Amino acid sequence: MAAPGHALLCFDGSDDAANAIAVAGRLLGSRAASVLTVWEPVAVWAPYDPGALLSAGASRLASEELGLDDIARDIAIATMERGVALARAAGFDATGRLNSGKPWRVICEAAEEIDASPVVLGARGLSRVHSALLGSTSGAVTAHGGRAVLVVPAARAESGSKPSH
């Protein structure tokens, strides 16, 4: 029997991403995994700002003068470390990866680099505004990744009623 593939666990700090790691641990069993957190420099946000709150000049000032990119990167590192801890608790032999750029593209590139099988994502992450405007990260990874992708839907709240079908 072949050894199980190296999983790529995408973690943005959202509850759905945490749930995806837990579900993947139950479904995939113990194996090597990389936890990928993707961060975007502040200057990248301006073109996607629906209210034009950040002009290109303001975003450059914020990223260079105020050090917001450093803050964003520090937050991303802490997020990645939390994801690694969740992955280890779920049974993975996990290491962390931190990359910047467009999330779906970075995920596909990382998956190719480590020959991931599968790529694991939550159905909805923290980029709900981007998803509404540009399409979902999970959809883009599924369409462009060229490999197995496990998209885990949001955990349902426990209730006393049964779902109707």
Side-chain angles (χ1 to χ4, degrees), residues 6-12 21 33-37 79-88 92 94-99 114:
H6 188 105
L8 180 63
L9 310 173
C10 303
F11 186 70
D12 64 1
I21 289 173
S34 293
V35 176
L36 173 65
T37 296
T79 299
M80 177 198 63
E81 290 170 349
R82 182 173 156 244
V84 169
L86 290 170
R88 288 178 179 160
F92 291 101
T95 58
R97 295 176 64 98
L98 182 69
N99 293 62
I114 66 170

Side-chain angles (χ1 to χ4, degrees), residues 18-64:
N19 181 55
I21 289 173
V23 169
R26 290 191 301 272
L27 293 175
L28 302 175
S30 181
R31 66 174 63 199
S34 293
V35 176
L36 173 65
T37 296
V38 180
W39 71 284
E40 294 180 279
V42 173
V44 173
W45 300 350
Y48 305 112
D49 183 1
L53 298 173
L54 293 173
S55 69
S59 64
R60 188 172 52 255
L61 172 69
S63 64
E64 294 172 4

Side-chain angles (χ1 to χ4, degrees), residues 56-161:
S59 64
R60 188 172 52 255
L61 172 69
S63 64
E64 294 172 4
E65 301 285 326
L66 301 178
L68 293 185
D69 280 345
D70 294 335
I71 294 168
R73 188 171 193 285
D74 289 346
I75 292 169
I77 290 169
T79 299
M80 177 198 63
E81 290 170 349
R82 182 173 156 244
V84 169
L86 290 170
R88 288 178 179 160
F92 291 101
D93 178 15
T95 58
R97 295 176 64 98
L98 182 69
N99 293 62
S100 67
K102 188 172 184 114
W104 75 265
R105 187 167 286 130
V106 170
I107 293 166
C108 290
E109 289 169 356
E112 182 70 25
E113 182 181 321
I114 66 170
D115 194 23
S117 179
V119 176
V120 177
L121 306 104
R124 296 289 304 252
L126 293 178
S127 60
R128 284 176 165 77
V129 172
H130 286 183
S131 295
L133 297 173
L134 306 170
S136 75
T137 298
S138 59
V141 170
T142 302
H144 301 287
R147 58 191 56 249
V149 178
L150 172 61
V151 179
V152 179
R156 288 200 232 186
E158 295 296 322
S159 67
S161 63

